[in-house]
Amino acid sequence: MNSGQDAGVRPRRIGVLIAIAVTALALDVITKAIVVATLPDRPPIELLGGLLTLRVLRNSGAAFNIGNGMTIVFTVIATGVVVMILRYARKLRSLPWAITLGLLLGGALGNLADRLLRSPGVFRGHVVDWIELPHWPVFNLADASIVCGGVLAVLLASRGLQVDGTVQRDGPPDPPPAGGTAPEPEPAAETTEPASAPAEDAPVSREDHSDGSRPDAKR
């Protein structure tokens, strides 16, 4: 059952999506440029007592070094994700979904830029990863943006929130709005009962005289 405010009266959230995507993309590109310029000739840098390590790795696969050697496949997938998000943006009227899709779009564009522009060539470029956590594969800010967007998407979908701002849920129909008039009850069927017949006069009792005389007769 659909409930909630009509999508036609909700403002579009494309501006929010673009702002989030541009911010995520800019942070990813800037940090990668700094890392590539400063860290390749240095040993890994441990921060926060070893909780965070900075090291440069070149990844030919997907996020967290998954599927190494399948760069072209993941380039096509990332391109499809970008196109799908842009198509959804046409009916985007939900602020939480604008943030979610913005994170996904910015992260996808960040890694896609590496695949298009970095060595060894177009559509075969290796992604720059540089963040390492204990017991976790090395990743970058684009990967983190994609993961955060994916988690938010699952939470929003589980709550029934749609991209257009409506809420999809199962359950009994919503109660009538405040101030509304409840439906009038149907009038009860009229029944007619026959009028009771007037009571008949009680018969006058007469004494039985065996001698044939009447009680009011004069002797």
Side-chain angles (χ1 to χ4, degrees):
M1 181 187 62
N2 290 330
S3 63
Q5 191 176 5
D6 185 8
V9 301
R10 291 178 179 269
R12 292 184 180 274
R13 302 296 186 178
I14 298 178
V16 177
L17 183 150
I18 295 176
I20 297 294
V22 170
T23 301
L25 176 61
L27 290 175
D28 181 64
V29 171
I30 292 172
T31 53
K32 286 176 179 175
I34 295 173
V35 166
V36 170
T38 59
L39 292 184
D41 299 329
R42 300 178 59 177
I45 300 175
E46 293 186 356
L47 303 174
L48 303 176
L51 294 178
L52 174 64
T53 302
L54 306 182
R55 71 170 71 238
V56 178
L57 292 179
R58 301 284 180 153
N59 177 15
S60 61
F64 309 116
N65 293 304
I66 299 175
N68 289 327
M70 302 177 63
T71 307
I72 296 179
V73 174
F74 290 117
T75 301
V76 174
I77 293 175
T79 304
V81 170
V82 171
V83 173
M84 181 185 67
I85 293 175
L86 293 177
R87 290 188 61 182
Y88 269 104
R90 295 181 300 175
K91 56 181 180 179
L92 180 62
R93 297 181 183 275
S94 168
L95 180 58
W97 271 111
I99 298 173
T100 299
L101 295 181
L103 290 172
L104 293 174
L105 181 60
L109 289 175
N111 285 338
L112 184 59
D114 282 0
R115 301 185 192 282
L116 295 176
L117 303 176
R118 297 189 184 277
S119 61
V122 178
F123 290 105
R124 297 182 294 111
H126 292 178
V127 176
V128 176
D129 292 333
W130 57 276
I131 305 172
E132 183 179 11
L133 300 176
H135 311 293
W136 197 262
V138 183
F139 61 98
N140 55 46
L141 291 185
D143 297 335
S145 179
I146 292 173
V147 171
C148 292
V151 172
L152 287 176
V154 172
L155 292 176
L156 295 178
S158 65
R159 298 185 61 181
L161 182 62
Q162 305 297 306
V163 175
D164 60 1
T166 58
V167 178
Q168 181 78 23
R169 67 175 185 269
D170 297 328
D174 295 336
T181 57
E184 297 182 358
E186 297 182 359
E190 297 182 357
T191 57
T192 57
E193 297 181 357
S196 57
E200 296 181 356
D201 295 337
V204 178
S205 59
R206 297 178 178 272
E207 296 181 0
D208 185 14
H209 297 274
S210 60
D211 57 357
S213 59
R214 291 180 300 176
D216 54 350
K218 294 182 179 179
R219 294 181 180 270

